[in-house]
Amino acid sequence: MGKKITVTVIKADVGGCVGHSSVHSALIEKAQGMLKGSSLLIDSYVAHVGDDINLIMTHELGRNNGEIHQLAWDTFVACTEIAKKLKLYGAGQDLLADAFSGNIKGLGPGVAEMEFEERKSEPIIIFMADKTEPGAWNLPLYKIFADPFNTAGLVIDPSMHDGFIFEVRDLIENTRVNFSAPEEIYDMLVFIGAPGRYCIKRVFHKKTGEIAAVSSTQRLNLMAGRYVGKDDPVCIVRCQSGMPAVGEVLEPFTKPHLVSGWMRGSHSGPLMPVSMQQATPSRFDGPPRVVALGFQLAEGKLIGPQDFFADPAFDQARQMANEIASYMRSLGPFEPHRLHLDEMEYTTMPQVLKKLKDRFEKLR
């Protein structure tokens, strides 16, 4: 057994510039300096998507390590101080606690971590989204690991032919259930087709038990009990050698699917694949964006990144996303552009209902 490497991605919105569109360079520089100065890490990379800072870290301390989570928390707190001085919008909005308490989960930031022994070649892709929620990964992860029309390896690669195990979380009841694909696909789709509640947390190789993918499933509204912004999730996917190829992992994003979030976290819109440079959502604070950064891992070192969605092959997907965005916007405050009522409980909806409750008359 060789040594195991942990890849940890932790994200937070600690202040947008301007509005919700981007991250100020001073915050990025602060985060980079704090991670590079830490003896806990093998390597690190700081990315940004919309108004979110994404800390990508490699180390040998395992998942849920208190020191790693403390480092991320301290980094976000330091960035928040700068955000407050610059009067950035929503400074510290994802930090729901006044102090760190041993594990960053439940405190606001989104977390995705996986621990594994590096293979002879270890390509990984880190997906980072803005203006949406964890369920946004359900459809892409299903296509990547269960749909033979997307992933040819499920049919023609003997090392993948047996399929994958999906761990699905119920974010309301805080429970989980495993589904085996392909034989339990129909059962699984009953749940993951409702991404506001059920999210794919992890995917495992059925034959080897190896971790293949992991997502962040933190729901800010559920933690805070009020609307504090969407969750802007992250996802890590391993590629090649018994896992889906890089191109198979990217393929689902050629057809933008509708996700919840966008303006005020209360609208449905297309998930647009963009380069990190284009991850500055502005139209109606959107539409929602996704960035894909590829790295080769070498003894924990992050070789890269390759900014995959900078490829002009995704130009048509962006055009399609803009067309879908225009159609959805034409619906204004009507569903399905505006989210359905049970997703609106953290907006003005309850206040309006309370104000008008005495005006509702019983029909005889």
Side-chain angles (χ1 to χ4, degrees):
M1 288 285 288
K3 66 181 179 182
K4 287 193 171 183
I5 299 296
T6 305
V7 179
T8 297
V9 182
I10 304 181
K11 57 69 53 181
D13 175 357
V14 295
C17 181
V18 173
H20 296 286
S21 61
S22 189
V23 177
H24 194 279
S25 59
L27 277 65
I28 299 293
E29 290 166 12
K30 182 66 175 178
Q32 288 171 335
M34 291 188 69
L35 296 191
K36 292 296 181 188
S38 173
S39 60
L40 299 172
L41 305 180
I42 300 172
D43 204 357
S44 62
Y45 186 85
V46 178
H48 56 95
V49 178
D51 52 3
D52 295 294
I53 298 174
N54 296 267
L55 309 179
I56 302 168
M57 301 171 281
T58 59
H59 53 92
E60 296 179 29
L61 300 175
R63 293 165 51 233
N64 297 317
N65 180 270
E67 290 182 291
I68 296 296
H69 285 213
Q70 176 83 63
L71 172 62
W73 180 264
D74 291 345
T75 300
F76 291 136
V77 168
C79 289
T80 296
E81 290 307 308
I82 297 173
K84 287 177 178 176
K85 288 177 184 174
L86 297 176
K87 294 190 175 182
L88 300 185
Y89 189 81
Q93 77 167 28
D94 280 7
L95 307 185
L96 302 182
D98 294 326
F100 183 73
S101 57
N103 190 305
I104 210 165
K105 291 180 180 178
L107 302 185
V111 184
E113 298 182 283
M114 60 164 65
E115 183 184 23
F116 53 84
E117 191 176 325
E118 276 187 20
R119 297 167 293 168
K120 189 174 180 181
S121 180
E122 191 64 64
I124 64 171
I125 299 177
I126 296 173
F127 292 101
M128 299 164 288
D130 185 38
K131 305 297 182 284
T132 186
E133 62 185 8
W137 304 129
N138 281 11
L139 181 56
L141 287 174
Y142 171 78
K143 285 186 173 182
I144 292 165
F145 292 103
D147 182 2
F149 280 78
N150 179 90
T151 301
L154 293 168
V155 177
I156 63 178
D157 184 346
S159 65
M160 290 172 58
H161 195 72
D162 287 342
F164 291 84
I165 302 293
F166 290 75
E167 178 188 313
V168 175
R169 300 273 177 99
D170 180 337
L171 303 188
I172 305 297
E173 296 295 331
N174 199 29
T175 56
R176 66 183 176 188
V177 58
N178 287 344
F179 293 99
S180 180
E183 61 269 31
E184 293 183 315
I185 278 177
Y186 297 160
D187 290 345
M188 180 171 71
L189 285 170
V190 170
F191 296 95
I192 65 173
R197 175 166 180 171
Y198 297 98
C199 294
I200 298 170
K201 175 62 180 178
R202 294 191 289 179
V203 181
F204 297 92
H205 194 287
K206 191 185 292 185
K207 224 174 194 178
T208 66
E210 284 268 307
I211 183 75
V214 63
S215 72
S216 61
T217 52
Q218 285 70 30
R219 285 289 303 271
L220 275 173
N221 295 349
L222 298 180
M223 288 186 278
R226 57 189 168 84
Y227 180 71
V228 289
K230 272 299 181 204
D231 314 284
D232 308 330
V234 292
C235 181
I236 311 169
V237 181
R238 296 171 76 190
C239 308
Q240 314 290 157
S241 304
M243 307 292 184
V246 166
E248 293 168 335
V249 174
L250 298 173
E251 183 66 11
F253 298 94
T254 58
K255 186 162 284 187
H257 62 292
L258 290 175
V259 298
S260 297
W262 206 347
M263 170 61 74
R264 302 182 185 275
S266 302
H267 295 80
S268 293
L271 188 61
M272 179 187 284
V274 295
S275 66
M276 197 156 62
Q277 189 177 6
Q278 293 176 319
T280 51
S282 57
R283 182 185 178 183
F284 204 57
D285 280 355
R289 307 292 161 103
V290 59
V291 167
L293 297 185
F295 296 90
Q296 289 285 156
L297 280 183
E299 303 297 324
K301 288 284 185 182
L302 293 163
I303 311 304
Q306 181 171 347
D307 193 345
F308 280 120
F309 291 150
D311 185 348
F314 289 92
D315 284 351
Q316 188 176 3
R318 288 185 273 274
Q319 181 181 343
M320 190 185 303
N322 276 321
E323 290 171 0
I324 294 169
S326 290
Y327 170 73
M328 297 300 284
R329 282 297 305 122
S330 72
L331 301 177
F334 286 84
E335 297 178 17
H337 181 35
R338 194 184 75 182
L339 298 185
H340 43 85
L341 286 181
D342 60 350
E343 286 277 331
M344 299 289 288
E345 60 183 305
Y346 300 104
T347 66
T348 57
M349 185 64 66
Q351 298 166 30
V352 174
L353 280 172
K354 188 177 180 182
K355 183 176 74 172
L356 297 179
K357 65 179 173 61
D358 294 332
R359 288 169 56 181
F360 281 87
E361 298 177 15
K362 284 275 188 193
L363 292 175
R364 299 185 184 279

